Amino acid sequence: MEHIFNLLGSFFTWITSYSYIALFTLTIVDILLGTAKAFSQKKINSTIAKEGMTKNLMILVVPALLLPLADLMGYADPALTLLTFLVLAQGYSVLENWIALGLPFKESWRNYFDDEKIKQKENPGTTQKEFIEKELLEDVLTEKQEGIHEDK
């Protein structure tokens, strides 16, 4: 019985930590920005929404379940490091959605983000690989058309 109380105490300690609250907040903001982006682009897609919700739910649930166990086993520092990386990754996702929505963002900072990822976020329903392949195909077709026009 004592182990259960220790586990519950550790669980509540982790989910009320600043790191987990930051992860939770960024996840909610990411969901809201993703939904706003879909509405603004008039490209609402239930499949993409379900995938996004599932991913974000797992980002919240898995650490909430595993971090208390890691803490009780004496691995609190590596667990906190993992949680910090999740917070950073979620922050990147929020910024990518922010940029894709066209909201104010310092242009010089945009250089630090993957342009292909930003463009893919601006075109929902495609993976980054599909988007890159589509762009390459468009470039090849453009070059062929320019070559045809030069021959005439």
Side-chain angles (χ1 to χ4, degrees):
M1 195 70 168
E2 181 183 335
H3 296 296
I4 292 173
F5 288 128
N6 287 342
L7 184 61
L8 287 174
S10 181
F11 173 76
F12 288 114
T13 300
W14 275 103
I15 65 167
T16 58
S17 70
Y18 290 124
S19 298
Y20 193 81
I21 291 170
L23 180 66
F24 182 82
T25 304
L26 286 170
T27 301
I28 298 301
V29 171
D30 190 40
I31 290 169
L32 293 174
L33 286 175
T35 304
K37 184 179 63 166
F39 275 106
S40 72
Q41 295 174 347
K42 296 181 176 121
K43 295 185 177 182
I44 299 169
N45 185 322
S46 64
T47 304
I48 293 172
K50 282 186 249 180
E51 288 173 4
M53 292 292 185
T54 302
K55 178 195 82 159
N56 283 310
L57 181 65
M58 289 299 109
I59 287 173
L60 292 176
V61 170
V62 171
L65 296 177
L66 294 181
L67 294 175
L69 293 172
D71 185 23
L72 290 177
M73 292 187 313
Y75 295 106
D77 289 338
L80 184 58
T81 302
L82 173 67
L83 186 58
T84 302
F85 282 118
L86 286 172
V87 169
L88 289 173
Q90 201 65 353
Y92 296 149
S93 181
V94 166
L95 287 175
E96 288 170 351
N97 279 334
W98 184 275
I99 293 168
L101 270 168
L103 296 173
F105 191 75
K106 192 171 183 178
E107 198 60 37
S108 63
W109 291 358
R110 188 178 175 137
N111 298 332
Y112 293 102
F113 289 90
D114 182 6
D115 283 338
E116 300 302 325
K117 180 74 173 185
I118 300 294
K119 289 177 186 174
Q120 183 260 327
K121 285 222 178 218
E122 291 170 345
N123 294 291
T126 61
T127 63
Q128 189 172 7
K129 181 180 175 189
E130 290 171 344
F131 185 77
I132 291 170
E133 289 172 351
K134 179 182 168 191
E135 272 199 340
L136 289 173
L137 181 61
E138 288 174 357
D139 289 345
V140 168
L141 291 175
T142 303
E143 288 174 8
K144 283 186 178 181
Q145 288 176 347
E146 289 173 357
I148 292 171
H149 294 306
E150 289 175 5
D151 292 341
K152 288 183 178 181

